[in-house]
Amino acid sequence: MLAGGCGESVRLAMEILTEVGDIYGAEEMAKIASAHTVMTPYRDIMDAGVEICERFAELGAKYSVPTTLDPAGMDLQRWREFKIPEDYAERQMRIVRAQEKLGGIPVWTCTPYLHGNAPLLGQHLGWSESSAVVFANSVMGARTNRLTAVVDMAAAIAGRVPKFGLHLDENRIGEILVKIEVKPKTLTDIDYPAIGYFIGKQVADKIPVLTGIPYDVSTDKLKNMGAAAATSGSVALYHIPGVTPEAEKLGSVLQKENCKETVELGLRELRETKEEMCTTRAGKVDFFAVGCPHYSIVELAKAAALLKGKKIRRGTEFWIYTTKHVEMLAKRMGYFDIIESSGAHILTETCMLVSPTDIYGFETMMTNSGKCAHYAPALCKTEVIYGSIEECVEAAIKGFIP
Ligand code: F3S
């Protein structure tokens, strides 16, 4: 493949992968079951990214394993309604066309594991998108490093990744014990991103092992917790004994001799973390953004129930980000009409951070996402308030937080 016997695009992909492998001391390549690429939003990959996508497409490259696409830099259907500049949209559509030629699966989401790219325990993957990587490694027990843009495309084309880091058994053992000392039954949706945010700050890139998470924790809670942990730190794998597949019991993933540190999270730490996730606490809020990572149908149903029969305050925007598939379900189940008639909107195939949200001039954003709360001040140029979906809806009706 590296010698060019499989064509120029494969040769180029292998050149990229072997360079990365050399840097990290990989001794061999692993065949991957699937890939997920972030070479998708124009806002992030810019003109150079457009050219790379087009170059691979011109070379006749094809993804050799199922490869899902991360969100695009705008709602691919409603972009005019949301006043995306024409020249921006034109560049975004060049990425769309190139990814179509390459054979990318157009889910345009950061939750590919909910949309057809659901790997099995122990499978090697070539994924990027930090929130998806931590979910795949931890909740599904698959194996991927946090790849970067371009390397993820190379992996998808070659069907291989250099075998280092989280592909190796010895690098998947827990390193830090995180004891969650809050009554499991009292933990609510909004606590999970805060727990993740706290963990990311404490452990950076180490592998935490969490105790105190209830056994019946939902997929969405783990999705939102992992996304926050991958944001405030660079957590790519965590274990929860009795919950995640590699951690049957505590001793399966954490031995005394490997435990570098023990961290405790109680009510005080949880409260302080939530405070830290806000840049302001009260006043006028002009933008509500939820769905980071993309909302599941379960989360969307909850938002619809809260918004039913209500009206969002004039001069306030309430945007919910999700996938086309979830939107289709929402239409069939009546949630779409409920949400849109409240004045809120469902945007698909994009999100508040990878689209040019700064063009609207919003001043204060409220979100229930730990990842979004972290990045919004820099990327959306807003103040940020972290709060539950219930608090978001209540504030959106009033237009402010007293
Ligand atoms: Fe997904 Fe965008 Fe958040 S890609 S994880 S919704 S920043």
Side-chain angles (χ1 to χ4, degrees):
M1 292 166 83
L2 189 57
C6 300
E8 174 57 14
S9 64
V10 174
R11 191 204 62 74
L12 194 54
M14 281 305 275
E15 191 182 320
I16 293 167
L17 296 169
T18 48
E19 291 272 338
V20 173
D22 284 346
I23 291 168
Y24 288 96
E27 289 178 7
E28 57 180 344
M29 293 280 169
K31 283 193 177 177
I32 54 173
S34 73
H36 180 76
T37 176
V38 293
M39 286 292 284
T40 48
Y42 176 68
R43 178 175 175 151
D44 287 356
I45 67 173
M46 308 301 291
D47 290 335
V50 178
E51 281 167 28
I52 291 167
C53 290
E54 289 180 337
R55 174 85 181 115
F56 271 119
E58 279 160 17
L59 287 172
K62 292 283 174 211
Y63 294 146
S64 67
V65 291
T67 299
T68 39
L69 304 177
D70 218 46
M74 62 186 192
D75 186 311
L76 294 174
Q77 283 184 339
R78 296 176 79 178
W79 61 269
R80 279 202 176 85
E81 193 185 323
F82 288 91
K83 302 187 172 43
I84 298 293
E86 293 277 341
D87 59 337
Y88 177 101
E90 189 265 320
R91 289 174 164 91
Q92 177 63 57
M93 294 316 287
R94 282 171 58 192
I95 298 170
V96 171
R97 286 190 292 274
Q99 288 289 5
E100 275 170 7
K101 279 193 191 155
L102 291 161
I105 301 169
V107 287
W108 304 107
T109 184
C110 46
T111 58
Y113 44 86
L114 299 179
H115 298 279
N117 192 353
L120 300 179
L121 178 66
Q123 286 183 335
H124 296 285
L125 312 175
W127 284 24
S128 45
E129 168 53 54
S130 63
S131 71
V133 164
V134 68
F135 192 94
N137 276 315
S138 312
V139 183
M140 310 191 96
R143 298 179 169 215
T144 178
N145 290 314
R146 281 169 58 140
L147 296 187
T148 53
V150 184
V151 178
D152 52 11
M153 284 179 84
I157 292 165
R160 282 158 176 77
V161 289
K163 204 170 173 187
F164 66 94
L166 293 174
H167 292 281
L168 304 173
D169 289 346
E170 61 269 30
N171 296 330
R172 299 181 66 85
I173 297 166
E175 297 167 291
I176 296 184
L177 178 63
V178 181
K179 290 183 175 175
I180 296 160
E181 307 275 354
V182 181
K183 280 193 189 127
K185 279 197 179 135
T186 64
L187 290 172
T188 60
D189 289 354
I190 199 60
D191 293 325
Y192 282 85
I195 291 172
Y197 202 85
F198 173 86
I199 291 170
K201 286 245 157 179
Q202 296 293 321
V203 312
D205 62 348
K206 300 283 179 299
I207 299 176
V209 179
L210 283 53
T211 60
I213 297 281
Y215 295 129
D216 59 354
V217 64
S218 68
T219 306
D220 287 326
K221 285 173 180 160
L222 294 181
K223 172 189 82 172
N224 297 329
M225 181 182 79
T231 300
S232 60
S234 46
V235 176
L237 167 64
Y238 60 81
H239 299 292
I240 308 176
V243 174
T244 56
E246 286 170 85
E248 196 187 336
K249 340 185 258 249
L250 183 59
S252 338
V253 282
L254 191 66
Q255 285 84 40
K256 260 194 190 144
E257 59 274 23
N258 297 328
C259 184
K260 298 187 172 111
E261 204 185 330
T262 298
V263 175
E264 292 183 1
L265 181 149
L267 280 175
R268 183 170 60 87
E269 288 80 10
L270 198 54
R271 193 189 62 243
E272 286 172 1
T273 303
K274 287 179 187 170
E275 283 168 10
E276 193 190 326
M277 292 162 78
C278 300
T279 62
T280 181
R281 303 301 304 269
K284 187 173 181 296
V285 183
D286 53 358
F287 184 39
F288 295 82
V290 301
C292 170
H294 273 169
Y295 251 18
S296 68
I297 188 63
V298 176
E299 293 171 305
L300 198 102
K302 185 172 177 183
L306 292 165
L307 287 163
K308 191 169 185 180
K310 311 271 173 48
K311 281 279 176 226
I312 299 302
R313 181 107 182 155
R314 260 178 97 96
T316 298
E317 296 292 343
F318 195 115
W319 295 352
I320 300 173
Y321 295 90
T322 189
T323 62
K324 271 277 163 248
H325 179 221
V326 167
E327 182 196 51
M328 181 270 288
L329 293 175
K331 284 183 176 166
R332 287 193 181 172
M333 296 174 85
Y335 304 141
F336 185 90
D337 287 344
I338 291 171
I339 289 169
E340 292 279 330
S341 35
S342 74
H345 296 299
I346 294 178
L347 283 85
T348 58
E349 305 182 311
T350 188
C351 80
M352 66 296 266
L353 299 181
V354 301
S355 60
T357 308
D358 50 332
I359 63 175
Y360 307 109
F362 295 127
E363 288 179 5
T364 304
M365 172 202 284
M366 188 168 183
T367 183
N368 61 352
S369 157
K371 180 170 179 176
C372 179
H374 183 84
Y375 286 122
L379 296 180
C380 305
K381 309 274 186 290
T382 62
E383 298 294 328
V384 69
I385 300 175
Y386 177 68
S388 66
I389 184 66
E390 290 87 349
E391 290 165 328
C392 285
V393 170
E394 195 185 329
I397 293 161
K398 290 189 194 135
F400 67 94
I401 297 185

